[in-house]
Amino acid sequence: MFQTKSAPMTTGLSATEVNKVYKTNDLSIFKSIDGNRVPNPQHIKRLKTSIIENGMLCNPILINDKMEVIDGQHRLIASQEAKSFIYYIILKDYSLSEVHTLNLNQKNWTKKDFMDGYADMGIESYIKLREFVKKHEDFTFTDCISLCSNNSAQPNGASTKFRLINPELSTQEVFTEGNWKGKDFNLANEWAEKIRLIKPYYANYNRSMFVLTMIILFKTENFDYSEFMHKLRLQPKALVDCANREQQKLLIEDIYNWRSRQKVNLRY
């Protein structure tokens, strides 16, 4: 993949030259790659200021043989805005897979970046997740994953089926490698709407602790959402923040059983 040659070193040892660093003023020759993350305007602004004040340092962007940017899209955009040249290295046969690997190793891609990347590649579960996130912006991204997985597991709500087949993968790896599937997205939308209806009685309805507790209750056979809302309307100030899920479930159970002759256990 690399064009290499030996290079002498002053220590008497030898090193290997890997590819070449090029320099160009024509930044129009570069292309973006489908599935890469959306550029961060603030990061571009900081880089542009640095280029203007300090000049362009030799920090090459990485491109493939199609002139698609594999790493360094922020530097490229900043260079364009600063009207500067740029250094670049060509890596043959690199693709979006290497983009994800590079950014994962650098720990500067969020799960949302991976979602956008895989959605742009046309992976259905990530497309549906992105649509869900846009529709339910009042919920955290991680809680949106849990809702779409129909599971209260944190932090990634990854595909249990895939992990059983590939037990060596962590939930983080399942999501970031494009293998997350989600479950019933219609049910996820229904749950999100039901949780949102609690807002008049509990300002922190979208707090992760509460959202995850509600997911558990939605899957609990004894839990009747209509009955819960009825009791909540009778006790509009009863819901408060709790330190953990067990306390949250106990509070909801107390609200649910208020003035009921037959008490319902929602915790087990």
Side-chain angles (χ1 to χ4, degrees):
M1 180 177 293
F2 299 122
Q3 312 234 338
T4 65
K5 68 178 183 179
S6 296
M9 296 184 68
T10 56
T11 59
L13 300 176
S14 63
T16 301
E17 180 184 274
V18 181
N19 285 345
K20 295 180 180 179
V21 176
Y22 299 90
K23 174 183 174 182
T24 183
N25 291 301
D26 184 6
L27 306 189
S28 65
I29 64 175
F30 303 109
K31 306 172 186 177
S32 59
I33 189 168
D34 290 338
N36 205 346
R37 61 178 171 175
V38 178
N40 183 323
Q42 292 302 317
H43 187 33
I44 293 171
K45 184 178 179 180
R46 288 192 295 268
L47 289 173
K48 177 183 175 182
T49 300
S50 176
I51 293 170
I52 292 173
E53 294 179 354
N54 306 306
M56 173 57 71
L57 303 179
C58 189
N59 185 11
I61 64 172
L62 305 180
I63 66 171
N64 60 21
D65 42 343
K66 297 178 182 178
M67 305 304 286
E68 296 172 325
V69 178
I70 301 300
D71 182 60
Q73 64 170 343
H74 288 89
R75 275 169 279 156
L76 176 59
I77 297 172
S79 298
Q80 291 170 333
E81 294 186 1
K83 302 187 184 306
S84 172
F85 61 86
I86 200 163
Y87 296 99
Y88 66 98
I89 295 174
I90 300 175
L91 302 175
K92 187 179 178 181
D93 296 330
Y94 268 42
S95 65
L96 187 65
S97 175
E98 283 73 27
V99 174
H100 288 175
T101 300
L102 282 168
N103 285 286
L104 180 61
N105 290 339
Q106 294 170 6
K107 297 183 179 179
N108 59 357
W109 262 42
T110 65
K111 288 192 292 293
K112 186 176 184 301
D113 291 326
F114 282 101
M115 175 196 71
D116 287 330
Y118 289 122
D120 289 342
M121 290 173 66
I123 299 179
E124 184 179 7
S125 56
Y126 291 82
I127 293 173
K128 288 183 176 180
L129 175 61
R130 182 161 65 181
E131 292 171 352
F132 184 91
V133 170
K134 289 180 179 179
K135 183 177 180 180
H136 303 287
E137 293 181 342
D138 46 338
F139 294 99
T140 68
F141 182 75
T142 302
D143 287 344
C144 286
I145 296 177
S146 294
L147 284 162
C148 290
S149 299
N150 305 159
N151 195 313
S152 62
Q154 289 281 55
N156 301 294
S159 169
T160 302
K161 180 178 179 181
F162 189 84
R163 291 197 68 207
L164 289 174
I165 300 173
N166 300 270
E168 72 278 5
L169 293 181
S170 67
T171 53
Q172 171 76 9
E173 289 172 324
V174 170
F175 190 84
T176 58
E177 291 189 5
N179 296 308
W180 178 83
K181 300 300 180 185
K183 287 189 178 178
D184 190 332
F185 289 86
N186 290 328
L187 183 61
N189 277 293
E190 178 185 324
W191 285 356
E193 296 293 347
K194 285 182 174 180
I195 294 173
R196 190 175 291 113
L197 289 175
I198 297 172
K199 183 178 180 179
Y201 313 103
Y202 180 43
N204 292 334
Y205 72 98
N206 56 352
R207 186 170 180 255
S208 287
M209 182 72 67
F210 183 72
V211 171
L212 298 178
T213 302
M214 288 302 298
I215 291 175
I216 294 172
L217 292 173
F218 285 136
K219 299 172 70 175
T220 301
E221 185 177 355
N222 293 335
F223 180 72
D224 183 330
Y225 174 78
S226 297
E227 177 65 15
F228 172 62
M229 291 301 294
H230 169 66
K231 293 296 180 66
L232 194 55
R233 283 189 284 270
L234 296 175
Q235 308 166 83
K237 296 183 179 181
L239 268 180
V240 295
D241 293 346
C242 295
N244 54 57
R245 290 193 213 179
E246 288 307 311
Q247 289 183 10
Q248 193 78 71
K249 282 193 287 184
L250 179 59
L251 175 59
I252 291 174
E253 183 180 274
D254 288 342
I255 295 171
Y256 191 93
N257 288 322
W258 188 65
R259 291 186 176 177
S260 294
R261 293 183 178 179
Q262 293 186 334
K263 307 298 182 182
V264 177
N265 190 327
L266 299 177
R267 288 168 291 161
Y268 307 103

